[in-house]
Amino acid sequence: MLRKIRICLQVVMMTLVTLLLLGIGFRVHLWAGWVAKIQLIPAILAVSLVVLILILCCTAFFGRIYCSVVCPLGIMQDIFSWLGGKFKKNRFSYAKEKKILRYVVCVLFFLAMIIGFAPVTTLIEPYSAYSRIVNSLFKPLYDLLNNWLAGLDAANDRYNFTEVQIWTRSVTTFVVAIATLVLLGALAIWKGRLYCNTICPAGTLLGSISRVIKEGCRVRFDKDKCKQCGMCEKNCKAQAIDFKNGTVDYSRCVVCGDCLDKCKFDALHYTAKRPAKEPKPVDTERRAFLVGAAVAGTTAAMAQTQMKVDGGLAVIEDKKAPKRQTAITPPGSVSARHMQKHCTACQLCVSSCPNNVLRPSTDLMHFMQPTMSFERGYCRPECTRCSEVCPTGAIKPITREEKTLQHVGHAVWIKENCVVLTDGVSCGNCARHCPTGAIQMVDYEGKKVPAVDENKCIGCGACESLCPARPFSAIYVEGNISHHIG
């Protein structure tokens, strides 16, 4: 029963997380955003005490159920391990814990998180690793399916689906996602939960709690019934069962229930520790129900899309991003330093951005963390999507009114690129579309050129995005190191 409930919860959680990351459904982040906020490392960064207390209490009372039914990367590894079992059964064996490696990696991870060294935190954090896989590899496939359905709809004069742009936001992130999927898939097929029990900081942290507190529900041996067949050990993907000594390493056990299912002699039980002289029967179904009560969710789906406009008359040269002295971080991120220390590069904000403004950074110190660029759109003042979905507090929640006062950058005019001077035409596109009135057209050598009032400019990028100059805009946004209210 425990294994069946675990699988059902995994299906629900994996479905919700994937739907959230793909952006499927009308404002999916409103009804499924909680699945990102109950992840351990994001909850630590967001200082979400309720979530942290819930996770720690569940671990103390029920073992590492978080790793089995909440962490999407752990669930993905279980899928690969299950596929590996189709080719070779009973392939696992007990292995001693690699304690030094586990704790060294864990300490280094949290030190990197404190000082804001992004390459370590973004690559190791489990939720972010799965998010990058979905955003970089699965989302383009979903978009292809969406566009195919949109074509079928249009051919039949129906418009249930809207065609969307398919593009790679970062080649670096794409390569990292492929490498992560291949590496973790191979490890899971070979050694099950090896990554979770050697590298993953969440697994090490929760394993320490499960190791120290042993009085809660755990998988326990009944040595009187055990026939030393070894089937439990051969099917433990955490390699935590030593059937010869009748012991289970609770710091590595993820309470998957596979061993209980394989034991034919009723020698293993998921139960609380009881005094030997007064054994009490345990209602395992009730225990399993309590485990299930720790995680709950709902599912729904519709396509979230963005209109693609194409006049079909001539090929327009794509814009290129200018070289900015200071990267632009999203409104609500406070400063580049705050973003660096709190962001795990899960890419949820990138995939959720309806304006195609956010990109994963290739800068080493901000590796794969979101920055703003305006080749495909601009940051509309009324949109607060990224602040709504961020699970770590790297982008703090802001209202629409607060966003219009957030100065994330300032516009800079590049005389050499302006079509007014290079082509001798009148323009004024930047001033016409500036939502704050920060750009005015002034006389310059008998022509009207833009002048920027930095006190009014909020760095939304409308001017840069809508400037007709190609490939580089004649006006671009330079980031502010620290955001300020104007």
Side-chain angles (χ1 to χ4, degrees), residues 103-122:
Y103 287 101
V104 167
V105 172
C106 186
V107 169
L108 289 177
F109 173 84
F110 283 104
L111 284 176
M113 194 168 69
I114 291 171
I115 65 176
F117 188 60
V120 172
T121 56
T122 58

Side-chain angles (χ1 to χ4, degrees), residues 262-284:
K262 292 295 181 180
C263 182
K264 304 302 181 182
F265 305 102
D266 195 33
L268 287 173
H269 301 277
Y270 178 66
T271 179
K273 190 173 183 180
R274 301 293 184 184
K277 295 182 180 180
E278 298 181 8
K280 296 181 180 180
V282 178
D283 186 348
T284 56

Side-chain angles (χ1 to χ4, degrees), residues 293-337:
V295 181
T298 56
T299 58
M302 283 182 62
Q304 173 181 306
T305 57
Q306 175 186 352
M307 182 71 71
K308 178 182 178 181
V309 179
D310 185 357
L313 299 177
V315 176
I316 300 177
E317 185 178 5
D318 290 337
K319 278 183 175 287
K320 293 183 179 179
K323 187 175 181 180
R324 308 180 203 275
Q325 298 299 317
T326 304
I328 315 167
T329 58
S333 60
V334 183
S335 66
R337 180 63 176 166

Side-chain angles (χ1 to χ4, degrees), residues 246-449:
T247 59
V248 180
D249 184 351
Y250 298 131
S251 73
R252 290 184 289 161
C253 174
V254 293
V255 200
C256 65
D258 287 350
C259 56
L260 304 179
D261 192 55
K262 292 295 181 180
C263 182
K264 304 302 181 182
F265 305 102
D266 195 33
L268 287 173
H269 301 277
Y270 178 66
T271 179
K273 190 173 183 180
R274 301 293 184 184
K277 295 182 180 180
E278 298 181 8
K280 296 181 180 180
V282 178
D283 186 348
T284 56
E285 292 188 9
R286 182 173 179 273
R287 295 291 186 187
F289 175 77
L290 291 175
V291 174
V295 181
T298 56
T299 58
M302 283 182 62
Q304 173 181 306
T305 57
Q306 175 186 352
M307 182 71 71
K308 178 182 178 181
V309 179
D310 185 357
L313 299 177
V315 176
I316 300 177
E317 185 178 5
D318 290 337
K319 278 183 175 287
K320 293 183 179 179
K323 187 175 181 180
R324 308 180 203 275
Q325 298 299 317
T326 304
I328 315 167
T329 58
S333 60
V334 183
S335 66
R337 180 63 176 166
H338 180 270
M339 173 66 75
Q340 183 182 6
K341 293 183 66 174
H342 289 78
C343 178
T344 61
C346 72
Q347 310 296 306
L348 182 53
C349 59
V350 176
S351 65
S352 298
C353 178
N355 304 309
N356 289 324
V357 167
L358 296 180
R359 315 275 192 278
S361 173
T362 56
D363 177 61
L364 182 62
M365 294 304 295
H366 305 86
F367 192 49
M368 294 188 292
Q369 294 179 345
T371 58
M372 297 171 68
S373 199
F374 309 109
E375 299 84 70
R376 293 175 178 265
Y378 65 94
C379 189
R380 297 181 180 274
E382 70 275 9
C383 176
T384 58
R385 181 72 60 81
C386 58
S387 74
E388 294 171 357
V389 301
C390 180
T392 67
I395 307 175
K396 296 181 178 296
I398 57 174
T399 64
R400 294 181 179 181
E401 292 75 17
E402 290 171 335
K403 183 178 178 180
T404 59
L405 301 175
Q406 295 269 337
H407 290 247
V408 301
H410 56 276
V412 178
W413 180 55
I414 305 298
K415 172 184 174 182
E416 293 76 13
N417 295 344
C418 189
V419 295
V420 173
L421 300 179
T422 59
D423 297 348
V425 297
S426 60
C427 182
N429 229 29
C430 51
R432 186 161 48 252
H433 294 285
C434 178
T436 63
I439 302 176
Q440 300 294 325
M441 303 303 290
V442 298
D443 288 322
Y444 178 80
E445 297 179 354
K447 301 181 183 297
K448 293 287 186 179
V449 299

Side-chain angles (χ1 to χ4, degrees), residues 20-32:
L20 177 67
L21 295 172
L22 290 178
I24 298 176
F26 178 69
R27 294 182 71 80
V28 64
H29 62 284
L30 294 181
W31 53 264

Side-chain angles (χ1 to χ4, degrees), residues 44-67:
I44 292 175
L45 289 168
V47 196
S48 181
L49 296 180
V50 174
V51 173
L52 291 175
I53 292 172
L54 178 62
I55 293 174
L56 297 180
C57 288
C58 285
T59 303
F61 289 121
F62 304 114
R64 284 175 55 185
I65 60 169
Y66 170 90
C67 299

Side-chain angles (χ1 to χ4, degrees), residues 73-119:
L73 197 70
I75 300 173
M76 186 191 77
Q77 291 175 80
D78 280 354
I79 294 172
F80 277 112
S81 181
W82 174 76
L83 292 173
K86 295 296 182 181
F87 298 96
K88 184 178 180 181
K89 299 183 182 297
N90 306 324
R91 67 192 191 281
F92 299 119
S93 61
Y94 174 75
K96 290 185 178 180
E97 177 190 9
K98 297 172 177 60
K99 187 179 293 186
I100 295 178
L101 176 61
R102 290 184 77 181
Y103 287 101
V104 167
V105 172
C106 186
V107 169
L108 289 177
F109 173 84
F110 283 104
L111 284 176
M113 194 168 69
I114 291 171
I115 65 176
F117 188 60

